[in-house]
Amino acid sequence: MRTPLKAIIAFIGPSIILLLIFMLIPILVSLTLSFTDFNVFAIYDWSNASFIGFENYNNLMKDPLFWKALLNTLYALVVAMPLTIILALSFAALLNRETTYFKNFFKVSFYLPSITNTVAIAIVWSWMLNPDYGLINWFLGLIGIQGPNWLGDPAWAMPSVIMLVVWKAVGYNIILFTAGLQNIPDYLYEAAELDGASKFQKFLHVTIPSLRPTIFFVTVMTIIGYLQLFEEPYMLTGGGPLDSTLSIVLYLYRQGFRFFKLGYASSIAFVLFIMIFALTFIQMKVGKKIEA
């Protein structure tokens, strides 16, 4: 029996309308703005904006601050992504063991940072990282180490931000990895044990291959999340010192909402979109080849 067209429209129509209003139309408007010099004056009168073609993109390629923000974002991605995945998978494996006590307590403890307000977290971390009375430097002082100026030194500012984003992201990924681990059939481990495999060999040759879809999903979502890094550097350092924690999205925010160069900010947004799309596409291709 065929479903009537009216019923199909009634079910999916509201979702499509919301998708158009809040996603597709804003994307098209932003793409259009990226080819104009839309600024604060054009907000009140759109006739003040003029079509300038690819000039925003040309200026972006010559903008040293954009390249600085891009390098900072890639630095955070390259360091934070493997740390997040390794820590999340390690903790998930520990929590999945039958001999681990207080599993629910640890799961909740790890997951809480991912649902806690970033502003509140940033305030606490700013206190912890304070060079004079922060908890981290106080602890380092107990073992005879002089702690650095975490948020005031360009060499330590980005590592401080990375510590926060990894700590915040690990809990959510632990839940995903735990779900993946619980779906691995026991007979695979039993067969490997009969073949004389050690715990490490079972983890390497049974657990990792069985978790490949979960690892792929976590990797893709982690890359997308870290390329959109904004809240943590904005709240902790504001992009400083000396733009050492300036991310692409934070730079986009500055151009669009501080200097009101909305056309230029839109071009940054679409360059970021192309980067995310390209990396995701490459990962999907690599993932298919590995599975094959």
Side-chain angles (χ1 to χ4, degrees):
M1 182 177 179
R2 290 186 177 182
T3 305
L5 180 60
K6 290 183 179 180
I8 296 174
I9 294 174
F11 276 105
I12 69 174
S15 299
I16 292 176
I17 292 172
L18 291 174
L19 186 67
L20 285 171
I21 294 174
F22 294 105
M23 182 171 290
L24 296 181
I25 292 176
I27 288 174
L28 292 175
V29 171
S30 180
L31 178 60
T32 303
L33 290 180
S34 71
F35 296 107
T36 69
D37 59 353
F38 201 94
N39 53 30
V40 65
F41 301 105
I43 294 176
Y44 299 101
D45 186 359
W46 282 46
S47 63
N48 290 325
S50 57
F51 181 80
I52 58 174
F54 288 93
E55 185 175 334
N56 282 328
Y57 295 95
N58 291 331
N59 293 335
L60 193 62
M61 294 301 103
K62 301 174 185 177
D63 188 348
L65 205 52
F66 167 76
W67 291 106
K68 175 73 172 176
L70 176 60
L71 290 175
N72 289 339
T73 304
L74 293 177
Y75 167 43
L77 173 65
V78 169
V79 176
M81 185 189 70
L83 276 176
T84 302
I85 294 174
I86 291 171
L87 289 174
L89 181 54
S90 301
F91 286 127
L94 290 173
L95 291 173
N96 195 54
R97 297 190 312 169
E98 293 182 0
T99 56
T100 301
Y101 296 101
F102 308 111
K103 291 182 181 180
N104 291 334
F105 169 77
F106 287 114
K107 287 178 182 178
V108 172
S109 300
F110 282 124
Y111 187 67
L112 275 177
S114 64
I115 59 173
T116 305
N117 185 273
T118 305
V119 176
I121 290 175
I123 293 173
V124 174
W125 273 77
S126 296
W127 168 73
M128 292 175 60
L129 294 169
N130 187 282
D132 299 321
Y133 51 83
L135 187 63
I136 294 177
N137 278 3
W138 172 81
F139 177 77
L140 291 175
L142 294 178
I143 56 178
I145 299 175
Q146 179 65 38
N149 185 357
W150 295 97
L151 301 178
D153 187 342
W156 287 100
M158 183 55 81
S160 302
V161 173
I162 290 173
M163 283 194 295
L164 171 55
V165 297
V166 170
W167 174 79
K168 192 171 184 290
V170 161
Y172 174 74
N173 293 311
I174 287 174
I175 301 300
L176 295 178
F177 280 127
T178 302
L181 288 168
Q182 291 175 351
N183 286 326
I184 300 175
D186 291 334
Y187 66 81
L188 294 178
Y189 292 107
E190 293 170 359
E193 192 171 346
L194 289 174
D195 289 337
S198 64
K199 289 184 178 180
F200 178 75
Q201 288 174 326
K202 286 190 288 185
F203 180 80
L204 189 63
H205 298 291
V206 177
T207 303
I208 297 298
S210 301
L211 282 177
R212 193 172 292 154
T214 307
I215 293 173
F216 173 75
F217 175 77
V218 169
T219 302
V220 170
M221 298 306 296
T222 302
I223 288 176
I224 293 173
Y226 287 153
L227 284 176
Q228 296 177 332
L229 185 67
F230 170 72
E231 292 177 307
E232 292 82 3
Y234 177 76
M235 294 302 304
L236 282 180
T237 61
L242 301 177
D243 297 317
S244 60
T245 59
L246 182 66
S247 66
I248 294 179
V249 178
L250 183 52
Y251 185 53
L252 184 158
Y253 170 81
R254 283 186 182 179
Q255 294 297 318
F257 298 99
R258 183 176 296 179
F259 304 123
F260 295 102
K261 297 179 180 179
L262 300 179
Y264 193 64
S266 297
S267 66
I268 299 173
F270 270 88
V271 169
L272 179 61
F273 167 77
I274 292 170
M275 288 175 55
I276 293 174
F277 179 82
L279 288 173
T280 305
F281 180 79
I282 292 170
Q283 278 189 293
M284 291 179 68
K285 288 294 183 182
V286 172
K288 286 182 179 179
K289 286 184 178 180
I290 293 174
E291 289 179 0

